[in-house]
Amino acid sequence: MTLRVLVVDDSAFARKVLRKVLSDAEGLEVVGTARDGLDALERVAELKPDVITLDLVMPSLDGTGFLRALSGMPDAPRVVVVSSAGTDSELAVAALQAGAVDMVHKPTALATDRLYELGAELVEKVRVAGRAVPRYANELEASVNAPPARPLPATSPKLLAVGTSTGGPQALTRLLSALPRDFPAPVVLALHIPAGYTEAVAKRLDSQSALEVVEASDGLELVPGRAVLARAGYHLKVARHGALNLARLDRHPLGTPHHPSVDVLFQSVAEVWGRDALGLVLTGMGDDGLKGARALRAAGGVVITEAESSCVVYGMPRAVAEAGLSNGSAPLDELVPLISRFV
C-alpha cells in the first residue's frame, strides 16, 4: 500500500527538500504541499492524505493550532512533526501531547542542504505513522482534566520504571496525571525522543501532574512523589549510596540504538531494586524493553504492559507480552488500578 503524504512548512526550500526525500522513498507518494496551517486544512479536505509532515512555527495558523483543528475531523491523517530544538522545542512537545505520532529534529533551521540529513529518519517515521493510531487533543484534555485517582496504599518502598517510544508523550501525560501526589514509589521514565527536548517534556508533564516531574541529572535523589525523566542522549540508571537512591547518567552506547534505552534502565533497576521493582512498558515501536523486562522478571520484579487498544503503536508492549513476561495488561486509562496491585 502506498502512503499519501502532505508536506506542511512555511519555507519553500524545506518543502522542496521534504518532497524530494519522501518522493524518492518506496511506498510513499507526496500528494501535495502547504505553506501554513490554513492552507494545510484545505489540502487535507481536498487530497485526503494518510500522513502529514508538520512544521510548527508558521503564519496564519501554526502547527499546534492545526492539530487542534485536525482533532475534529473524522479519519484524520497521522502527523509527524518536523521541529528545530531550541527554537520550538516547547511547541514540539505540546504537539506530541496533542496527538502528533512522532517527531523528527531538523539538523538546522536554515535553508541549507543540511536538511537532507533528516531524510532516512523522516521516511522511517512517516512509514510508522502510516500504521499508527492517532489520538488527538480533545481526548487528551478529557483525561488530563479528569478527577485524580484514589490514593494508592503505602506498602513497602518500591520503584516504578516506565519505558515508551512512539506516542509516549501522550501516554506519559495521561499516566502521570492519574497518579496521586502521595504515590508511594519513586518513578523513573525512559522516552525515545531527540536530544534537546526532554527538559520541555519534563516541564509540561510537571505542570499537568500532581507529582514533581524533572529531567534527570546525575546524582539526583529518587524519592516518592518525584518522577525523573531520562535526558535524551544519555542512558538513565539507578544506584544506591547508603540510604539514598540516586539517578545516574551514562553516555556509553552499550550496543543500543536508543539513548536513553528502556533495556538499560530496566536492567539497572533489576540489579538495584530486584523484587521491589515494577516495570511498565507503554506504546512504542520496536522491542526496546524486552531484555530489560526479562531481567526484571528474573530478579523477582513485576512487569506490566499497555494493552493494544490504547497504544499508538503496539510494538514494545507486544514484544514483552508475546515473550510471556507481562504480569498484567490494561488500556492506558486503566493502568493506575493495575499498578496499585503491585506497589
Side-chain angles (χ1 to χ4, degrees), residues 278 304-305 327-330 334-343:
L278 171 60
I304 58 179
T305 50
N327 294 96
S329 178
E334 299 174 23
L335 280 171
V336 170
L338 182 58
I339 291 169
S340 70
R341 292 170 47 191
F342 301 106
V343 176

Side-chain angles (χ1 to χ4, degrees), residues 191-237:
L191 166 68
H192 297 167
I193 196 168
Y197 294 89
T198 44
E199 181 181 5
V201 173
K203 286 181 178 179
R204 288 190 63 88
L205 291 175
D206 182 64
S207 71
Q208 297 164 330
S209 171
L211 301 180
E212 177 194 18
V213 185
V214 296
E215 184 185 41
S217 58
D218 197 61
L220 180 67
E221 188 174 2
L222 306 176
V223 294
R226 173 180 292 167
V228 177
L229 177 66
R231 183 184 300 178
Y234 293 79
H235 293 304
L236 175 60
K237 297 182 178 181

Side-chain angles (χ1 to χ4, degrees), residues 13 17 105-119:
F13 183 77
V17 171
H105 170 57
K106 287 181 179 177
T108 175
L110 303 176
T112 74
D113 285 346
R114 284 201 62 206
L115 284 174
Y116 285 98
E117 295 173 14
L118 56 69

Side-chain angles (χ1 to χ4, degrees), residues 135-281:
R135 305 196 183 279
Y136 287 104
N138 54 351
E139 178 184 354
L140 177 63
E141 288 166 2
S143 171
V144 170
N145 295 326
R150 294 177 60 186
L152 304 181
T155 56
S156 59
K158 298 200 175 183
L159 180 136
L160 172 62
V162 183
T164 186
S165 181
T166 311
Q170 303 161 60
L172 290 178
T173 300
R174 292 168 66 172
L175 174 72
L176 294 179
S177 68
L179 290 176
R181 186 179 303 277
D182 57 354
F183 184 68
V187 181
V188 287
L189 312 163
L191 166 68
H192 297 167
I193 196 168
Y197 294 89
T198 44
E199 181 181 5
V201 173
K203 286 181 178 179
R204 288 190 63 88
L205 291 175
D206 182 64
S207 71
Q208 297 164 330
S209 171
L211 301 180
E212 177 194 18
V213 185
V214 296
E215 184 185 41
S217 58
D218 197 61
L220 180 67
E221 188 174 2
L222 306 176
V223 294
R226 173 180 292 167
V228 177
L229 177 66
R231 183 184 300 178
Y234 293 79
H235 293 304
L236 175 60
K237 297 182 178 181
V238 299
R240 281 209 172 107
H241 183 72
L244 299 179
N245 297 298
L246 306 174
R248 292 297 186 196
L249 301 185
D250 185 353
R251 294 202 72 165
H252 193 281
L254 296 176
T256 173
H258 303 295
H259 297 79
S261 162
V262 181
D263 280 330
V264 171
L265 175 60
F266 280 15
Q267 288 166 341
S268 173
V269 168
E271 292 172 5
V272 175
W273 289 82
R275 63 183 301 131
D276 290 327
L278 171 60
L280 170 59
V281 183

